[in-house]
Amino acid sequence: MKKLFLSAASLLLMTTGLKSFAQDAATAPPPQEVAPEASKPKLTFKPAGRILFDGALFAPNKNGFSDGVALPDIRLGGTATYGKFSAKLDIGYGMSKLSLKDVYIGFKPNEYNSFKLGYFVHQFGLNAATSSSMKPTMIAPTSDTFFNATGRNLGLGYLYDKGQFFLGASLFASSQSLSLTPGQQGKISVGAMERFVWRPIRSDGNVVQIGISTWYQSAEHLDDNDTPGEVHTSPGFFNFSANFPTKVNNVSMLQATVTNAKAVFKMSPELILAKDRFALEGQYYFMNVDRKNGLHSYNAHGGYASLRALILGDSKYGYSHGDAGLATPSPKTLECVIGYDITDAYDRKAGIAGGISNDYSVTFNYYLNKYIICRLRYNYTTDRLASFAPNRHVNMIQARVMFKF
């Protein structure tokens, strides 16, 4: 009897234990897998390049203008990324010259902030949103070229891009720092610039954007002492220039050399308005060069406006958030752009006759696919060297086929 009781008790305890174990197993969290080592970022490389083929007819066909064809820009390079870091190298060949384009290291700590260090186009004005080959007017506005608003410089750039606001700020050295050593310059030209944009409406087919850019830079110098081991800094200066708006011929149009310069200040407000298939882009430039030895400061100003319309394909203009500008239209889209540009580089008080230009243009852009764009442009351009000089004028019909990847 005692043995029977002990056996029953043992069986009861065993059953209770199994039941408890089953309940614990049912309620216990699933076993945790041993997490593998955190995946490391991978190095990726994306090649990039472009080929531009231009042809042009001029009337009158003289004074440096000659009908013909050209390969104004051939580029090859690419972008490498590794986690939050990136690097870009872009080498170009055009007009029988080999040159460096974008050469920089990038860092993007999060979605809204990014940095660049190297040689690149810094944020100043609306044209910083598009590369030289992606201008809707085919050729960059003369005013943007003359004021060197989107030329490349060696420096550090910062971007903030979130919601209604976009900010670009840079510290830089003059572009001649890439080709001349500090000893050859005698004294390095340095500066700072910024671009601030407010875009309260920025959806496809509805864009309202206003912005302001400012630029301050010390004068450029050269070492004009031929004695080895000695540096003699020349007086400060700035050179501003622009050719007639074509890549087939290099014909000088505006030229202003400002001597005894201390520093330059530039300011440029910008505007974008877009509604469905129509858009208006505009920008104004003002520049003041402060000078030494009692010389009058040099002032110049200019601006452009472009009325854009989508004829075939897309029915609305898109918006490119990261560039703070209108997006490139989709493939199979035909666009018409009517543009006007004026640049006044003539300052009688400063004694500098840089010239006054006017450019009227009509451009048709056909975005064939994601790699090929065809452009056809007509423009009438005038240039007056001084108030007492006769006008120079030319009619141009230009065509371009671009392959870009």
Side-chain angles (χ1 to χ4, degrees), residues 252-321:
S252 178
M253 181 168 60
L254 303 175
Q255 178 68 51
T257 298
V258 186
T259 58
N260 290 283
K262 294 181 182 178
V264 61
F265 171 76
K266 306 175 190 178
M267 179 181 66
S268 181
E270 64 181 77
L271 171 69
I272 298 179
L273 299 174
K275 180 63 177 177
D276 297 333
R277 61 175 68 246
F278 298 99
L280 173 67
E281 297 178 324
Q283 192 170 341
Y284 171 77
Y285 302 84
F286 169 78
M287 180 173 70
N288 172 271
V289 180
D290 193 19
R291 305 172 76 190
K292 304 176 183 177
N293 302 323
L295 295 175
H296 197 281
S297 61
Y298 171 68
N299 295 294
H301 62 94
Y304 70 89
S306 298
L307 178 61
R308 304 174 61 176
L310 300 171
I311 301 174
L312 299 173
D314 285 352
S315 59
K316 295 180 180 180
Y317 275 100
Y319 185 77
S320 178
H321 220 273

Side-chain angles (χ1 to χ4, degrees), residues 150-368:
T150 51
R152 289 175 174 83
N153 290 285
L154 191 64
L156 173 65
Y158 164 73
L159 285 183
Y160 174 81
D161 172 30
K162 184 179 181 181
Q164 297 185 11
F165 301 103
F166 177 95
L167 172 66
S170 294
L171 298 173
F172 66 94
S174 169
S175 58
Q176 69 176 2
S177 296
L178 196 69
S179 57
L180 301 177
T181 67
Q184 291 172 321
Q185 296 177 65
K187 185 178 181 181
I188 298 177
S189 171
V190 296
M193 71 176 83
E194 63 76 31
R195 179 190 178 203
F196 176 74
V197 168
W198 179 51
R199 47 196 181 187
I201 303 175
R202 58 194 183 281
S203 61
D204 289 351
N206 292 281
V207 179
V208 175
Q209 173 176 304
I210 58 174
I212 184 73
S213 298
T214 57
W215 176 315
Y216 184 84
Q217 179 185 352
S218 62
E220 296 181 346
H221 299 81
L222 291 174
D223 175 18
D224 60 3
N225 191 349
D226 295 331
T227 304
E230 295 184 9
V231 176
H232 182 268
T233 302
S234 68
F237 69 91
F238 285 106
N239 285 321
F240 303 100
S241 64
N243 291 336
F244 275 86
T246 176
K247 297 294 185 180
V248 175
N249 290 233
N250 286 327
V251 181
S252 178
M253 181 168 60
L254 303 175
Q255 178 68 51
T257 298
V258 186
T259 58
N260 290 283
K262 294 181 182 178
V264 61
F265 171 76
K266 306 175 190 178
M267 179 181 66
S268 181
E270 64 181 77
L271 171 69
I272 298 179
L273 299 174
K275 180 63 177 177
D276 297 333
R277 61 175 68 246
F278 298 99
L280 173 67
E281 297 178 324
Q283 192 170 341
Y284 171 77
Y285 302 84
F286 169 78
M287 180 173 70
N288 172 271
V289 180
D290 193 19
R291 305 172 76 190
K292 304 176 183 177
N293 302 323
L295 295 175
H296 197 281
S297 61
Y298 171 68
N299 295 294
H301 62 94
Y304 70 89
S306 298
L307 178 61
R308 304 174 61 176
L310 300 171
I311 301 174
L312 299 173
D314 285 352
S315 59
K316 295 180 180 180
Y317 275 100
Y319 185 77
S320 178
H321 220 273
D323 298 319
L326 296 180
T328 301
S330 303
K332 308 297 183 184
T333 296
L334 176 63
E335 177 187 38
C336 177
V337 183
I338 300 174
Y340 172 70
D341 179 282
I342 180 171
T343 307
D344 186 350
Y346 178 70
D347 188 340
R348 182 186 298 274
K349 292 183 179 179
I352 298 176
I356 304 172
S357 71
N358 290 269
D359 181 68
Y360 309 83
S361 66
V362 178
T363 307
F364 290 93
N365 304 307
Y366 184 60
Y367 303 87
L368 180 63

